[in-house]
Amino acid sequence: MEAEKKASAVSDVGAWAMNVVSSVGIIMANKQLMSANGYAFSFATTLTGFHFAVTALVGLVSNATGYSASKHIPLWELLWFSIVANMSITGMNLSLMLNSVGFYQISKLSMIPVVCVMEWILHNKHYSREVKMSVVVVVIGVGVCTVTDVKVNAKGFICACVAVLCTSLQQITIGSLQKKYSIGSFELLSKTAPIQALSLLVFGPFIDYYLNGKFILNYKMSSGAISFILLSCSLAVFCNMSQYLCIGRFSATSFQVLGHMKTVCVLTLGWLLFDSEMTLKNIMGMIIAVIGMVIYSWAVETEKQSNTKITPHAKHSLTEEEFRLLKEGVENIPVKDIELGESKG
């Protein structure tokens, strides 16, 4: 039993580590690929289409070689999920274009309480006071270190709302689909990735043209740009896999809260690698955010342990009650009823 718990803990840490490393890596690679000082590949939506195309290819090879099994999920659920996921991606890109970076960061932070409310509405999930407090601490910490200027307009606000709602719903749906159809994280990703890839590659270039006024066919590819696109796509496979894996093993709320460790890592690496400014405000915010994540992890673990303690006690009381009833009533039960009971068993 102890060995199983240790193995599970190692798997949990491995899933989080994969997500943090791949997510931070892909942000760094995309920064070099898309920045004006890098290769100026400013086609974020189409690039996401490339990501899912490579992920779908890996899933296809995995199924063909028997590494993973393919389970049935109704096509309408896959299509609905893909539409929500693509609206999340498009909404985020539009929100970043139409709003200030400060408001964009606030909208991302709002996903934590939105996910909590959605899980309460959809799955009747309740949170302890300690979990709620830790979420507030994380939001404050990340807000302090990332939010600067805050400017918003009507169109940008609508896009931000759509992005937040769709992203939150997508992450909750990942977990619910895995439980509903008893399907693994990679198997689910293998089914959703082709639909997302096809739709993003068809509509992505037009969305990017609307965002930046440039068409991808007019972009002059270089060997350096191609190398970074391939690197970005490779990291995206691990990033997508680990996202589905983490949400399947934990919850959408945990993924959002602990996922802000990536924000801390990105700010730190930006300072180390790209000479980004690191102020006392950034440092204080990161410290507060990390403290909030530690409190959250402790609160969730405490909640799990208390639930584990309650469950055996309830079962023990039930067994004693059954034993008492049997002891008092077994002599009064006709033999015929006892025989019927044994034959039914």
Side-chain angles (χ1 to χ4, degrees):
M1 192 68 180
E2 287 296 325
E4 287 180 7
K5 285 183 179 179
K6 286 181 180 178
S8 179
V10 170
S11 299
D12 293 347
V13 172
W16 279 118
M18 184 196 295
N19 186 255
V20 171
V21 171
S22 59
S23 297
V24 173
I26 201 172
I27 289 169
M28 294 293 114
N30 287 353
K31 189 167 186 177
Q32 180 63 25
L33 177 64
M34 302 180 78
S35 67
N37 296 327
Y39 296 99
F41 185 85
S42 55
F43 309 99
T45 313
T46 307
L47 180 63
T48 307
F50 292 156
H51 291 169
F52 281 107
V54 173
T55 303
L57 182 62
V58 171
L60 185 66
V61 171
S62 178
N63 288 333
T65 54
Y67 178 77
S68 59
S70 180
K71 292 186 179 180
H72 175 71
I73 297 178
L75 181 61
W76 71 268
E77 289 206 66
L78 294 175
L79 289 172
W80 177 82
F81 174 83
S82 299
I83 290 168
V84 171
N86 288 349
M87 285 180 69
S88 161
I89 295 164
T90 306
M92 279 296 179
N93 289 339
L94 287 171
S95 175
L96 183 57
M97 182 191 79
L98 296 171
N99 300 315
S100 65
V101 175
F103 185 79
Y104 174 74
Q105 290 294 345
I106 288 174
S107 66
K108 287 182 71 177
L109 286 173
S110 69
M111 285 181 201
I112 300 178
V114 169
V115 166
C116 290
V117 171
M118 277 191 169
E119 287 196 318
W120 172 61
I121 293 171
L122 297 174
H123 302 302
N124 196 30
K125 187 170 183 178
H126 296 276
Y127 301 90
S128 66
R129 184 178 60 183
E130 292 80 6
V131 169
K132 291 174 185 175
M133 286 173 60
S134 65
V135 166
V136 172
V137 174
V138 171
V139 170
I140 290 171
V142 178
V144 167
C145 67
T146 60
V147 176
T148 51
D149 60 315
V150 179
K151 294 177 183 176
V152 64
N153 56 70
K155 286 183 180 178
F157 181 77
I158 292 169
C159 289
C161 289
V162 170
V164 169
L165 289 172
C166 288
T167 303
S168 303
L169 185 59
Q170 177 217 5
Q171 292 180 356
I172 292 170
T173 306
I174 288 172
S176 60
L177 283 177
Q178 288 186 51
K179 290 174 183 174
K180 184 177 179 180
Y181 294 103
S182 301
I183 189 170
S185 53
F186 186 68
E187 286 75 20
L188 178 60
L189 179 60
S190 300
K191 288 186 171 295
T192 58
I195 302 171
Q196 284 188 258
L198 182 63
S199 53
L200 286 172
L201 289 175
V202 170
F203 298 108
F206 300 101
I207 295 169
D208 288 330
Y209 182 77
Y210 174 75
L211 289 171
N212 56 44
K214 298 176 184 177
F215 201 61
I216 190 170
L217 294 178
N218 297 328
Y219 179 78
K220 291 182 180 179
M221 285 284 184
S222 64
S223 57
I226 292 171
S227 298
F228 271 91
I229 289 172
L230 291 174
L231 175 62
S232 181
C233 290
S234 301
L235 289 167
V237 174
F238 292 100
C239 187
N240 289 329
M241 282 173 57
S242 59
Q243 179 189 0
Y244 280 54
L245 186 62
C246 287
I247 294 174
R249 294 180 73 90
F250 307 100
S251 69
T253 305
S254 296
F255 183 76
Q256 279 293 331
V257 173
L258 300 178
H260 279 293
M261 179 57 74
K262 293 176 281 190
T263 305
V264 174
C265 292
V266 167
L267 288 172
T268 306
L269 286 174
W271 174 61
L272 292 171
L273 302 177
F274 296 100
D275 295 325
S276 299
E277 187 181 3
M278 180 69 75
T279 64
L280 180 62
K281 177 174 170 283
N282 296 138
I283 296 169
M284 289 301 296
M286 287 191 284
I287 292 170
I288 294 169
V290 171
I291 290 170
M293 291 173 205
V294 172
I295 295 171
Y296 178 84
S297 301
W298 167 80
V300 170
E301 190 61 33
T302 303
E303 203 170 48
K304 280 182 184 177
Q305 288 177 1
S306 63
N307 290 339
T308 305
K309 287 177 183 177
I310 290 168
T311 305
H313 179 72
K315 181 63 181 171
H316 182 62
S317 300
L318 182 63
T319 306
E320 286 179 344
E321 180 67 17
E322 289 174 341
F323 180 74
R324 184 182 64 79
L325 289 171
L326 284 169
K327 189 176 179 181
E328 291 176 357
V330 71
E331 294 177 358
N332 300 324
I333 299 174
V335 175
K336 187 176 181 181
D337 288 345
I338 295 174
E339 290 172 351
L340 285 170
E342 288 177 349
S343 64
K344 285 177 184 177

